[in-house]
Amino acid sequence: MRRLGLGVSALLFTLVACSPPPEMLEKGKPEVIKNPLYEFKQVPASEFVQVYGNKFYLQGKPYRFAGANVWYAAYLGSDQGDVGNRQRLRKELDLLQQTGVTNLRILGASEQSPLKNSLRPAISEKAKILREDLLVGLDFVLAEMAQRNMKAVIYLNNFWEWSGGMMTYLSWVNGGEFINLGDENHPWPAFALATAEFYSNPSAIELYNIYIKQLITRTNTVTGKPYVEDPTIMAWQLANEPRPGDGEQSKVNLPAYFDWIRNTAQLIKSLDKKHLVSVGSEGTKGCLEFAECFLGAHSGNGIDYATFHIWPKNWGWYNSKNPQETFGETMRKTDAYITEHITLAEQLQIPLVLEEFGLERDLGQLNPDAPVSFRNNYLQYVYSRVVGSAMTGGSLVGSNIWSWGGFGAAQHDDYNWQSGDKSYVGDPPQEPQGLNSVFASDAETLSIFASHSRTLQN
């Protein structure tokens, strides 16, 4: 793998100037007075994660977590050599456990797709299982997580094409219309507008529902335990970042979007009485930048807790090539976005999880040896906000960093994913391999994880 020049000595010198202002750091610290609004003194002990008010509970005690996204876990868990590596999976889980990570968000569905940037091999095609070994891989992951007292959030679809997703479901029922929108150009907003047609397409939804039923009613081949009886699973998630479209023009999609959320949640709960259900939302940024959209997606429809994501680069807040000019504004906008969603979750009276957030390595480098000074500074502030909420009775009680690369590595000098690659990192196929990944060699970042986890458990 080629090496990129670091060229960051001046960058490190300016880092302090880019740190969040003192008043923001103070804002993130736990307050002395706790919010008594949704305190529950006695909660029935259960090995399943439960929701009471705006908190998670486990074994009768508040459950707060430092987590990570490991979307490829089921792939590593396969017993087939073209995708699986169980030795590495165990090594990854051991390191995550050592750093205090107790919650993993993982992929539970992938669709065989004509889209260029989709994951291959895939689990299913038109609701028929193509690769049983990948589901056996999920079985294996859950069994290994149980041994380490970890909880899993499993998502069942994807708005984006990297695992097949909604555009692929549509291609199966509409003769491939719009499929060219999933190429490397990813035209915007055309891709989002076309993909949002999924919510009003009964044929596509029916195929999705068939797959959901197969997965949720599955019995783990490793443990012999039905999924519906497995407390290692914290929640089923409808999809990764399901959007109703883009902008004002997509408000007409909201009735179909809300119906899909409600109907899918009801279907899941008709099959599984013990696990939580979440949407997988990015927050208002993924909901037409419209608070009522976010509220409607999480209210009175069987959804147990809210989620949001933060992507400073994708949203135009941060420029890794010009961090001195953009990092301060990134911090201020991050602070405001977190505050906005805590406020919305308090209005909904449900828990809130920041389940995706990340920042590139310094100067946008992809080499795992490149420093991560801005990323680490960013993580410390975000974690201070999680602690500030969790320890004072607020709704924000957990997070999952995007994304865990662990012992993976890009396989090609250009850092691009190619079909058949199996040294998975945290970045999905359509992105440079290493873009947002946290690797096992990122010692300072792992130390930040560990410190944050210890604080949450106190």
Side-chain angles (χ1 to χ4, degrees):
M1 186 165 59
R2 67 185 173 93
R3 300 291 181 185
L4 298 179
L6 300 185
V8 294
S9 56
L11 185 67
L12 298 179
F13 179 78
T14 61
L15 181 58
V16 174
C18 296
S19 298
E23 63 270 18
M24 286 179 63
L25 291 175
E26 288 298 323
K27 187 175 181 180
K29 290 182 179 178
E31 300 173 5
V32 175
I33 301 175
K34 289 191 174 184
N35 176 4
L37 189 55
Y38 309 120
E39 292 289 341
F40 286 82
K41 301 301 183 184
Q42 293 183 339
V43 170
S46 174
E47 58 184 348
F48 291 84
V49 178
Q50 300 175 290
V51 166
Y52 286 86
N54 69 339
K55 294 180 179 63
F56 297 120
Y57 287 84
L58 180 62
Q59 297 292 6
K61 298 179 181 179
Y63 174 61
R64 304 179 289 264
F65 62 85
N69 281 271
V70 192
W71 64 262
Y72 52 85
Y75 278 69
L76 282 185
S78 166
D79 58 3
Q80 298 299 304
D82 64 329
V83 292
N85 188 338
R86 289 182 170 182
Q87 182 179 2
R88 178 186 160 194
L89 177 65
R90 290 191 180 100
K91 192 176 178 182
E92 299 285 8
L93 294 176
D94 286 343
L95 181 56
L96 286 162
Q97 183 183 37
Q98 291 166 19
T99 59
V101 171
T102 59
N103 187 289
L104 303 183
R105 183 170 176 255
I106 60 181
L107 176 151
S110 60
E111 294 74 38
Q112 186 71 26
S113 178
L115 293 161
K116 293 179 181 179
N117 291 318
S118 290
L119 186 63
R120 296 177 180 84
I123 296 172
S124 69
E125 183 176 26
K126 298 181 181 178
K128 296 180 180 179
I129 304 303
L130 295 178
R131 293 287 300 252
E132 170 66 17
D133 65 288
L134 295 176
L135 293 182
V136 171
L138 183 59
D139 297 342
F140 185 81
V141 170
L142 292 172
E144 291 291 318
M145 289 178 64
Q147 294 178 25
R148 295 165 177 82
N149 296 315
M150 292 178 167
K151 299 296 181 183
V153 175
I154 302 175
Y155 50 98
L156 304 168
N157 204 338
N158 199 341
F159 188 79
W160 310 112
E161 74 269 32
W162 60 262
S163 64
M166 295 177 181
M167 180 69 81
T168 296
Y169 273 104
L170 287 172
S171 78
W172 292 340
V173 300
N174 69 9
E177 187 180 358
F178 306 133
I179 209 68
N180 64 311
L181 296 177
D183 66 15
E184 60 272 13
N185 296 319
H186 205 92
W188 197 264
F191 179 87
L193 297 177
T195 303
E197 294 192 14
F198 172 83
Y199 310 114
S200 57
N201 189 305
S203 299
I205 291 174
E206 178 58 25
L207 289 174
Y208 166 68
N209 289 345
I210 292 171
Y211 179 78
I212 286 176
K213 293 173 185 176
Q214 292 178 85
L215 187 67
I216 291 177
T217 60
R218 181 178 177 82
T219 295
N220 190 309
T221 60
V222 177
T223 64
K225 181 176 292 187
Y227 275 18
V228 297
E229 299 293 336
D230 189 354
T232 306
I233 299 170
M234 168 177 155
W236 300 108
Q237 192 162 92
L238 306 194
N240 176 55
E241 300 189 335
R243 292 182 167 208
D246 182 74
E248 186 78 19
Q249 61 193 316
S250 292
K251 286 186 177 180
V252 296
N253 294 339
L254 288 178
Y257 180 64
F258 293 152
D259 283 348
W260 170 75
I261 292 172
R262 182 182 63 255
N263 293 338
T264 309
Q266 290 177 352
L267 171 62
I268 292 172
K269 291 193 171 184
S270 73
L271 301 169
D272 184 347
K273 309 296 185 185
K274 295 185 177 181
H275 292 112
L276 305 177
V277 178
S278 58
V279 176
S281 173
E282 298 161 86
T284 55
K285 274 287 187 180
C287 219
L288 314 183
E289 302 197 41
F290 183 48
E292 286 76 6
C293 174
F294 182 81
L295 292 170
H298 294 90
S299 179
N301 55 6
I303 297 301
D304 295 298
Y305 66 95
T307 64
F308 72 120
H309 303 176
I310 305 179
W311 284 110
K313 176 188 175 181
N314 296 354
W315 298 346
W317 299 353
Y318 180 66
N319 183 346
S320 62
K321 305 297 184 183
N322 187 19
Q324 295 90 338
E325 297 295 327
T326 59
F327 189 70
E329 185 67 10
T330 295
M331 298 296 275
R332 284 185 281 274
K333 288 185 175 180
T334 294
D335 179 70
Y337 199 67
I338 292 172
T339 297
E340 174 189 7
H341 287 84
I342 291 175
T343 300
L344 291 172
E346 294 291 353
Q347 184 174 341
L348 292 163
Q349 301 181 21
I350 58 178
L352 177 68
V353 176
L354 174 54
E355 64 174 17
E356 282 190 24
F357 63 105
L359 212 63
E360 296 173 79
R361 308 185 89 84
D362 292 350
L363 297 180
Q365 297 178 88
L366 300 173
N367 177 7
D369 293 335
V372 285
S373 305
F374 283 92
R375 175 190 290 174
N376 286 344
N377 203 27
Y378 187 73
L379 295 185
Q380 286 179 312
Y381 178 67
V382 170
Y383 283 149
S384 77
R385 290 300 314 268
V386 176
V387 170
S389 171
M391 296 306 189
T392 60
S395 287
L396 179 56
V397 291
S399 65
N400 297 82
I401 182 73
W402 185 280
S403 180
W404 181 255
F407 295 98
Q411 293 186 227
H412 311 286
D413 287 347
D414 61 3
Y415 294 93
N416 288 328
W417 178 86
Q418 296 179 17
S419 182
D421 286 355
K422 57 174 289 187
S423 184
Y424 308 104
V425 298
D427 305 288
Q430 88 282 9
E431 293 180 342
Q433 300 296 281
L435 182 67
N436 292 300
S437 295
V438 175
F439 292 105
S441 56
D442 289 321
E444 185 177 352
T445 306
L446 269 58
S447 177
I448 292 170
F449 286 175
S451 176
H452 174 60
S453 180
R454 287 193 300 269
T455 302
L456 281 180
Q457 305 314 313
N458 290 334

